[in-house]
Amino acid sequence: MEKNNSITHVILTGGVGSRLWPLSRKSQPKQYLDLFDGKSLFEMTVDRNRTLVDTVMVVGNTDNCHLSRKVLEKSGTDYVDIIESTPRNTAAAIAFAAFASDPNAILIVTPSDHIIDEMEHYAHSIKEAIEKASRGYIVTFGIVPTKPETGYGYIERKGEDVLSFREKPNKVSAKDFIEKGNFLWNSGMFCFKAGVFLEELQLYNPEVYEKSKAAWDANIGGKLDLELSLAIPSISIDYAVMERSRKIKVVSSEFIWSDLGSFESVYDYLVSKGHPVDANGNMVIGTDAYTAFVGLKNTIFVATESANLILQKESSQEVKNVYNELERKKSHLLE
């Protein structure tokens, strides 16, 4: 591997975590909640890559950049701060990071709200991805699935080659994927040279490239102009580049991974860390007040100062509907 490639960890912090309402709010998205071993997911993301990279870059927005700054200043971490004025999805967010980098710099792009365990496996996957990226490939991390999960997208592969990307499947398709044995969970993590990514973006989505470049060129201290940003099509890196480029490779990864995108995944994680549940699998999050469940199984009670949520664990994906309804009513309960 060429040692002159500097390595940058690009952390994407744009998500709101609507399926984790009422814990996750616009003013305190899920990646900043101190729910997990007394640290936030964002802090754990910074820590896990600290020894693997030369530079840290955070792509955030006007609502959350102060929350990132607080964490990074606490640990004395120098970082490059990119502040979006409005969310434009992952293709643009990653383009800004690439424009801010030397074309030969290798970027490891990760969300800020995932749980990752088994760090030996993780470091091995990162090393393999950096080696492929240094040879000009765009690398995606696929996680060896442990169950037919319907909350994740999938990558169909043959060895290191990607055959197709699949949307979140229904139960039948998910079981079919697992049985076939050559499908991986799509982790939303990537590794590539900044210049290679920009070349592919320009080739396959010139509009996102040009408009992101215009917004980046006009940035003031990493802050992006609202009007120029609104002109950028809101499209994911998957649609803009990954599903179209011929330079894609996948690293099949054995580390433990969860995107903590729902209360079901939070429940499983907290149980693994010894968080109490009663004899019928009921859990309380957010309060120490005595809480009794009568005639209920696998129920999660989520308490906050201004709102409570009671749900069946299996219905975790439907929390988004509550969030969307409150958004329609312009409720202060989302703030």
Side-chain angles (χ1 to χ4, degrees):
M1 194 182 91
E2 309 156 56
K3 241 358 248 175
N4 57 356
N5 294 128
S6 73
I7 298 168
T8 298
H9 180 204
V10 177
I11 308 174
L12 306 177
T13 68
V16 178
S18 55
R19 286 174 295 168
L20 291 189
W21 181 89
L23 287 183
S24 188
R25 309 282 182 108
K26 286 180 179 172
S27 62
Q28 193 77 7
K30 65 169 176 172
Q31 56 268 33
Y32 302 105
L33 300 170
D34 284 343
L35 257 188
F36 311 98
D37 302 340
K39 278 185 174 180
S40 68
L41 294 169
F42 176 77
E43 197 172 346
M44 288 159 76
T45 304
V46 175
D47 285 353
R48 92 171 56 98
N49 292 285
R50 196 184 292 281
T51 57
L52 305 172
V53 300
D54 307 303
T55 311
V56 174
M57 190 179 281
V58 177
V59 185
N61 58 46
T62 46
D63 292 337
N64 71 15
C65 59
H66 65 288
L67 297 170
S68 299
R69 189 176 304 123
K70 213 161 106 183
V71 171
L72 289 156
E73 282 178 354
K74 188 177 90 175
S75 62
T77 306
D78 286 331
Y79 71 109
V80 178
D81 199 9
I82 297 174
I83 303 166
E84 294 185 293
S85 51
T86 180
R88 293 329 273 158
N89 215 316
T90 50
I94 294 167
F96 298 141
F99 284 126
S101 304
D102 181 276
N104 275 318
I106 288 176
L107 309 186
I108 297 167
V109 180
T110 76
S112 55
D113 53 4
H114 291 183
I115 282 284
I116 286 174
D117 235 326
E118 297 200 348
M119 294 316 293
E120 246 175 73
H121 285 305
Y122 178 74
H124 178 76
S125 292
I126 293 283
K127 193 176 167 194
E128 191 184 327
I130 289 169
E131 190 276 322
K132 288 185 192 333
S134 70
R135 292 191 281 123
Y137 291 111
I138 290 180
V139 183
T140 180
F141 293 80
I143 311 295
V144 176
T146 53
K147 59 179 179 178
E149 172 63 60
T150 57
Y152 301 150
Y154 284 72
I155 297 167
E156 183 186 11
R157 53 102 185 208
K158 186 176 182 182
E160 62 173 18
D161 294 322
V162 174
L163 301 178
S164 70
F165 288 90
R166 304 293 185 93
E167 296 290 322
K168 294 174 183 175
N170 59 28
K171 270 273 190 295
V172 176
S173 296
K175 282 182 175 153
D176 187 40
F177 291 171
I178 301 296
E179 277 166 24
K180 281 189 172 143
N182 67 325
F183 283 79
L184 303 168
W185 287 337
N186 187 350
S187 71
M189 291 169 50
F190 310 98
C191 182
F192 41 71
K193 283 185 185 176
V196 171
F197 172 76
L198 290 174
E199 282 165 17
E200 295 297 276
L201 181 63
Q202 189 171 21
L203 182 61
Y204 292 106
N205 207 308
E207 191 185 0
V208 171
Y209 175 88
E210 296 298 346
K211 291 184 171 171
S212 298
K213 188 171 191 319
W216 178 252
D217 287 346
N219 87 82
I220 297 168
K223 287 186 180 170
L224 295 154
D225 177 76
L226 178 59
E227 211 168 307
L228 290 170
S229 298
L230 284 167
I232 304 167
S234 180
I235 181 170
S236 73
I237 180 180
D238 285 351
Y239 287 132
V241 174
M242 303 307 291
E243 292 180 7
R244 304 169 76 183
S245 169
R246 295 178 178 187
K247 295 186 174 178
I248 310 298
K249 295 288 179 193
V250 63
V251 169
S252 173
S253 306
E254 301 262 356
F255 53 84
I256 291 172
W257 172 88
S258 166
D259 75 346
L260 290 194
S262 69
F263 277 112
E264 184 166 15
S265 52
V266 170
Y267 177 104
D268 291 343
Y269 175 72
L270 290 176
V271 165
S272 79
K273 294 294 177 190
H275 191 93
V277 289
D278 72 10
N280 292 311
N282 301 305
M283 177 184 282
V284 177
I285 298 173
T287 178
D288 294 327
Y290 176 76
T291 306
F293 296 85
V294 178
L296 297 170
K297 279 187 176 181
N298 298 328
T299 301
I300 307 172
F301 173 59
V302 185
T304 73
E305 220 169 273
S306 59
N308 297 327
L309 175 71
I310 300 158
L311 71 148
Q312 285 295 151
K313 183 170 67 133
E314 295 74 26
S315 302
S316 290
Q317 298 292 337
E318 291 164 41
V319 175
K320 197 169 191 169
N321 301 341
V322 180
Y323 186 96
N324 292 343
E325 182 58 28
L326 291 169
E327 196 154 48
R328 265 199 296 280
K329 293 176 178 169
K330 297 189 166 42
S331 171
H332 71 282
L333 292 171
L334 300 184
E335 297 308 316

